[in-house]
Amino acid sequence: MRCPFCSADDTKVIDSRPAEDGSAIRRRRQCDACGKRFTTYEKVETIPLIVIKKDKNRETYDRSKIESGVIKSCHKRPVSAEAVTKCIDDIENTIFNMEVREIESTTIGEIVMDKIKDLDQVAYVRFASVYREFKDVNTFMDELGKLLTSNSEKR
């Protein structure tokens, strides 16, 4: 493993343990050259998941796209980085537990919306406004109405 600080090739594993969700191995490493420590995560390589976009083009699944959307929707909200990471992990686990080789981007979007609703309601509305491509205020108000209705039903 290459050191992210000095780019030396020689590092040693100091500690290994399962990651919090059990889907990866967390390894603490130390560089033999500079002595700095860093963490790596080892995951089982799976068959690549193909995402079918709205225009029917296909591309490989990219976690960073989900991360970007969730982080943008949570911008300046009282949501911890840990909660965001857990939400993204939950989204990814839901997707991969479906055990499909191809998935529609709309299905991913709905999963994200479902998970983000529990994370922060303002983040949910922000994500929904981009994902559902609200054309006007009425569409936006309809989505808010659904959110308010589901909140009152939970009480």
Side-chain angles (χ1 to χ4, degrees):
M1 177 62 59
R2 181 166 291 183
C3 174
F5 303 104
C6 71
S7 298
D9 287 330
D10 295 325
T11 62
K12 62 183 172 190
V13 174
I14 297 169
D15 181 40
S16 289
R17 65 180 69 173
E20 289 179 21
D21 63 358
S23 67
I25 300 292
R26 178 183 181 272
R27 300 196 192 279
R28 285 295 292 160
R29 297 177 178 269
Q30 183 171 4
C31 177
D32 292 337
C34 71
K36 292 192 177 178
R37 293 181 177 192
F38 59 99
T39 302
T40 59
Y41 291 89
E42 184 179 305
K43 282 189 163 190
V44 174
E45 188 172 55
T46 57
I47 296 169
L49 179 64
I50 304 299
V51 178
I52 304 168
K53 307 296 281 182
K54 288 179 185 177
D55 63 2
K56 300 302 177 199
N57 282 332
R58 287 172 160 70
E59 62 182 50
T60 56
Y61 169 80
D62 183 358
R63 176 186 170 105
S64 67
K65 290 186 176 187
I66 293 173
E67 287 175 337
S68 174
V70 173
I71 289 169
K72 284 177 187 174
S73 62
C74 291
H75 183 67
K76 294 188 177 183
R77 295 295 305 151
V79 180
S80 69
E82 184 178 301
V84 169
T85 301
K86 184 182 180 326
C87 178
I88 295 165
D89 289 344
D90 288 347
I91 292 165
E92 197 168 62
N93 286 336
T94 301
I95 292 168
F96 283 106
N97 285 340
M98 295 172 77
E99 296 181 2
V100 294
R101 296 180 94 174
E102 293 187 337
I103 187 168
E104 301 269 343
S105 61
T106 54
T107 303
I108 293 174
E110 293 299 324
I111 292 168
V112 172
M113 284 185 48
D114 185 50
K115 299 291 184 182
I116 216 170
K117 187 187 293 185
D118 297 332
L119 185 66
D120 184 86
Q121 291 182 342
V122 172
Y124 167 78
V125 172
R126 286 177 177 170
F127 186 87
S129 69
V130 173
Y131 174 70
R132 293 244 167 94
E133 299 174 346
F134 293 162
K135 302 291 186 225
D136 56 31
V137 174
N138 291 331
T139 314
F140 187 79
M141 293 304 290
D142 290 344
E143 192 65 35
L144 282 176
K146 289 178 196 172
L147 183 62
L148 292 171
T149 301
S150 72
N151 281 345
S152 65
E153 289 172 0
K154 288 181 182 177
R155 292 181 191 163

